[in-house]
Amino acid sequence: MDRVSSFDEPLKKLLGGATAKVMAEHLDLHTVGDLLHHYPRRYEERGKLTALADLPLDEHVTVLAQVADARILMFNNGRGKRLEVTLTDGSGRLQLVFFGHGVHKPHKELLPGRQAMFAGKVSVFNRKMQLAHPTYQLLDASDADEATEAVDAFAGRLLPIYPACKQLDSWRIAKAVDAVLPSARDAVDPLPASLREGRGFTSLPEALLKAHRPQTKADVEDARARLKWDEAFVLQVALARRRYADTQLPAAARRPVVDGLLDAFDAKLPFTLTEGQQKVSKEIFDDLATEHPMHRLLQGEVGSGKTLVALRAMLTVVDAGGQAAMLAPTEVLAQQHHRSITEMMGELAGNWGLWREAPLDEGRRSGDGRALGGSDRGTKVVLLTGSMGMAARRQALLDLVTGEAGIVIGTHALIEDKVQFHDLGLVVVDEQHRFGVEQRDALRSKGKQPPHLLVMTATPIPRTVAMTVFGDLETSVLDQLPAGRSPIASHVVPAKDKPHFLSRAWERVREEVEKGHQAYVVCPRIGDDAEEAEGKEGKKAKAKKQAADEAPEKRPPLAVLEIADELRKGALAGLGVEVLHGRMHPDEKDDVMRRFAAGDVDVLVATTVIEVGVNVPNATAMVIMDADRFGVSQLHQLRGRVGRGSAPGLCLLVSEAHEASPARARLSAVAATLDGFELSRIDLEQRREGDVLGQAQSGVRSSLRMLTVIDDEEVIVAAREEAVAVVAADPELEHLPELRTVLAALLDKDREEYLDKG
């Protein structure tokens, strides 16, 4: 059997059909290689063999003893079951206890007179020493030699505890690993010999053996160090090769033009760009001036001016004769970007010639569609969404294909086959994580040559996550807020413990409105009958209802429609209260947002559709209902909708969570800092890695089994440096066949997609 095929061997051949089926269906393990890379989650420490008379409290021990008696006790009116087993070894006595479903197996096996070894942590209950749910191994008292050998093997060892499932516990997985462990010697080592020797790593076969069957804690550390490096290095090589391949693609250089649209725009700005905006703009302009496609991630704090930086890049491309497209995940955000950009350009120039072809006010539109009076030519900014009328849509498509429109902002409608550009030079993707690979590629394929790509995210990303998930993109960071931005005061409102705090929250909203400002109220749910409909949303609603039935003390999340109605009749009676949510007709949504932006609406009760991109400087207060139902980063994004003008912002996080609960701790963390990068780190520490990396990053998630992107920054940074050097010296990895083999396994058809950002 060759080295590759032994790892590709189906588990069915070695473990049998039944076990292999459970592993495939519930653990996504299909081959010998998959199982060998299914590492223990932790290791249970077994102490050396200890006499019962000498048991130390709160320590892991292993004892050899005989069962004296065993009995089942019922409690909780017969609904609960407990097995108590008494052991003796001649020096003392010890009680074991098993609960619930865990009583069945030991009740059958731990019969009076049976001898066994037991491992667990010693505790005290009712003044008696006990082990709760110990692991154990029965001994055959008739064979003294075998018993002695078993004792030596069992006691004092580190017992691997595997990620398991209901159908297959850790013990059975460990036995399965024993069956395939000999194949570890056939592992294909991806690390170049010079790197492996230079960093003093153990061999890969030895690392696998130490990971699964360590003799000491040092074995575990050796294995972890080596296996983390493999994961980080292989992934960074894949990303480095992607970056290298991008440098080989042709693209039209889009260099700034003197006295063009950009210069005219900059001259009209009523403020000075921040140092951060200038620095990031230069990085982008330098990329645009090269003859291979830019692939850059622009991330930054809420309100740091990402849209302004993106617009300057788009104007540079238009000046150079190309077109720029901005892809937004929702119609609300697309409309908001369109409104912001046309106002930034048209209003500053005293000229509204950039409105889409169906303007709200014909009098605000210049006859020739030019913009920014200082420039000798203008360009159209077009909005393209799925809900547009046929006439407006037809005109927008015509403007794109003729080149009349230099800038287009749209939703998924931009991706359709019938949408054609005259010369697409730049694609700006807003909120990158919300789009699939196929959608990004479909838009990029519309250029005569590969267009430049600028990816924006309003969610600050820890450096290691950016290097892992967006590692094929160069990164620019905007961490400086524009001058004049006011701080946002954040407070937790414990509605259950102190209901008068909630009353005060509504008083604060009234006070802000009386000062001439506006407010948002955010709820987790819409609250209309459509939530009970079939399909994806209906299933979610049913799941929520089922969860509520099973845990009646946890009420359903608060809803926009219900809260808005209550506020109109009660705490905010007399104020202009409107609602905004994703299931409203696009025209309704647009109308509400326009009136809110114009100051005609006092309080907007909304779902998270306002999470990103919505910019109403006059809105100073936000009340987030059931705030504990939102993630840390999401709360930070929502909060960023206030404090965007000169008046101070206020964000009130309303929650019924108990003061000592993890949910309240999360809210306190959000209230304590406005640093989005710090909050993103907290968010990542509190959530499962897969959640953070996202569904679209399935390749990352399935290939990172030992590496954790938040804790292993040093490994990721060092691996990236090594990977860049390796790819620069040998882009095709011709001299590293083992690395090429492992890379091919990682980048199979399904997993390749997550790397395909560009």
Side-chain angles (χ1 to χ4, degrees), residues 319-363:
D319 276 338
Q323 293 169 289
M326 178 181 278
L327 186 61
T330 66
E331 290 213 359
V332 168
L333 190 50
Q335 289 162 351
Q336 177 69 35
H337 278 317
H338 180 259
R339 189 177 303 116
S340 298
I341 287 172
T342 52
E343 287 177 3
M344 269 194 274
M345 294 175 68
E347 199 170 47
L348 289 170
N351 177 334
W352 288 79
L354 301 184
W355 279 102
R356 64 178 183 262
E357 42 305 315
L360 291 177
D361 178 356
E362 197 64 35

Side-chain angles (χ1 to χ4, degrees), residues 23-168:
M23 286 194 166
E25 290 179 358
H26 297 281
L27 297 171
D28 196 24
L29 305 176
H30 306 271
T31 65
V32 167
D34 289 341
L35 184 52
L36 286 174
H37 290 303
H38 186 70
Y39 306 124
R41 179 186 291 125
R42 61 185 174 84
Y43 301 87
E44 188 173 287
E45 293 184 68
R46 289 175 175 159
K48 294 295 181 186
L49 208 54
T50 311
L52 296 188
D54 303 324
L55 291 180
L57 191 61
D58 285 334
E59 286 190 21
H60 289 277
V61 299
T62 299
V63 298
L64 172 61
Q66 191 174 64
V67 177
D69 66 69
R71 55 184 182 148
I72 293 269
L73 300 174
M74 310 298 283
F75 61 93
N76 202 7
N77 291 328
R79 291 198 298 273
K81 200 182 283 187
R82 181 170 77 242
L83 171 65
E84 289 186 357
V85 179
T86 304
L87 303 181
T88 179
D89 68 349
S91 71
R93 294 171 80 82
L94 175 67
Q95 183 172 284
L96 314 179
V97 61
F98 301 85
F99 293 97
H101 295 300
V103 307
H104 303 305
K105 186 170 181 279
H107 189 224
K108 283 187 207 167
E109 295 180 339
L110 299 179
L111 304 173
R114 289 302 305 261
Q115 193 174 42
M117 285 176 298
F118 303 87
K121 192 173 183 181
V122 182
S123 60
V124 172
F125 181 72
N126 279 348
R127 288 186 266 183
K128 287 183 184 176
M129 292 269 200
Q130 73 167 25
L131 300 181
H133 281 280
T135 54
Y136 63 88
Q137 183 171 325
L138 299 172
L139 299 174
D140 183 356
S142 63
D143 189 333
D145 290 340
E146 188 177 317
T148 301
E149 194 176 304
V151 169
D152 291 341
F154 187 89
R157 277 186 51 202
L158 292 171
L159 177 71
I161 305 298
Y162 289 91
C165 60
K166 184 179 177 183
Q167 296 79 4
L168 202 65

Side-chain angles (χ1 to χ4, degrees), residues 153-423:
F154 187 89
R157 277 186 51 202
L158 292 171
L159 177 71
I161 305 298
Y162 289 91
C165 60
K166 184 179 177 183
Q167 296 79 4
L168 202 65
D169 62 25
S170 178
W171 285 89
R172 288 173 65 196
I173 295 172
K175 289 186 78 171
V177 169
D178 283 337
V180 303
L181 208 49
S183 295
R185 66 177 180 273
D186 298 326
V188 177
D189 196 328
L191 297 191
S194 58
L195 192 161
R196 189 170 63 245
E197 291 160 11
R199 292 187 175 270
F201 287 130
T202 186
S203 71
L204 183 53
E206 190 178 349
L208 289 169
L209 288 170
K210 285 182 173 180
H212 290 290
R213 298 296 174 262
Q215 299 300 311
T216 64
K217 288 184 180 178
D219 285 349
V220 174
E221 292 308 310
D222 282 353
R224 284 186 184 279
R226 170 64 214 259
L227 296 170
K228 281 182 180 183
W229 245 92
D230 280 21
E231 290 177 359
F233 179 71
V234 172
L235 182 58
Q236 291 301 331
V237 167
L239 295 166
R241 291 187 76 199
R242 180 64 196 234
R243 291 194 300 274
Y244 178 83
D246 288 338
T247 66
Q248 308 306 302
L249 291 173
R254 312 284 180 170
R255 297 183 178 90
V257 172
V258 177
D259 293 332
L261 286 171
L262 178 62
D263 284 351
F265 174 74
D266 283 351
K268 296 284 185 179
L269 283 176
F271 52 80
T272 304
L273 295 174
T274 66
E275 283 182 27
Q277 288 169 337
Q278 292 176 17
K279 173 176 170 289
V280 169
S281 290
K282 183 180 185 308
E283 291 170 349
I284 292 170
F285 293 160
D286 288 347
D287 283 356
L288 291 174
T290 61
E291 295 183 348
H292 59 80
M294 169 175 75
H295 286 80
R296 187 165 287 277
L297 171 68
L298 173 57
Q299 61 161 318
E301 281 291 6
V302 175
S304 58
K306 291 180 294 296
T307 304
L308 175 63
V309 169
L311 175 57
R312 297 185 78 234
M314 290 191 281
L315 290 175
T316 300
V317 170
V318 173
D319 276 338
Q323 293 169 289
M326 178 181 278
L327 186 61
T330 66
E331 290 213 359
V332 168
L333 190 50
Q335 289 162 351
Q336 177 69 35
H337 278 317
H338 180 259
R339 189 177 303 116
S340 298
I341 287 172
T342 52
E343 287 177 3
M344 269 194 274
M345 294 175 68
E347 199 170 47
L348 289 170
N351 177 334
W352 288 79
L354 301 184
W355 279 102
R356 64 178 183 262
E357 42 305 315
L360 291 177
D361 178 356
E362 197 64 35
R364 296 194 302 193
R365 185 181 185 187
S366 68
D368 60 4
R370 291 180 185 173
L372 303 166
S375 174
D376 62 354
R377 61 188 178 82
T379 192
K380 258 189 180 176
V381 178
V382 170
L383 177 69
L384 186 65
T385 68
S387 65
M388 289 172 66
M390 283 301 294
R393 182 179 177 78
R394 195 177 298 117
Q395 183 62 53
L397 293 173
L398 183 63
D399 288 341
L400 289 184
V401 78
T402 60
E404 178 75 11
I407 295 174
V408 58
I409 293 107
T411 56
H412 298 76
L414 279 177
I415 297 166
E416 295 172 7
D417 290 342
K418 62 181 72 171
V419 179
Q420 297 298 324
F421 292 81
H422 176 68
D423 181 13

Side-chain angles (χ1 to χ4, degrees), residues 22 78 157 218 287 398 454 461 506 522 591 609 611 629 640 715:
V22 172
R157 277 186 51 202
D287 283 356
L398 183 63
L454 179 65
I461 304 167
W506 300 128
V522 181
D591 177 58
V609 292
E611 179 184 348
R629 312 247 183 171
V715 175

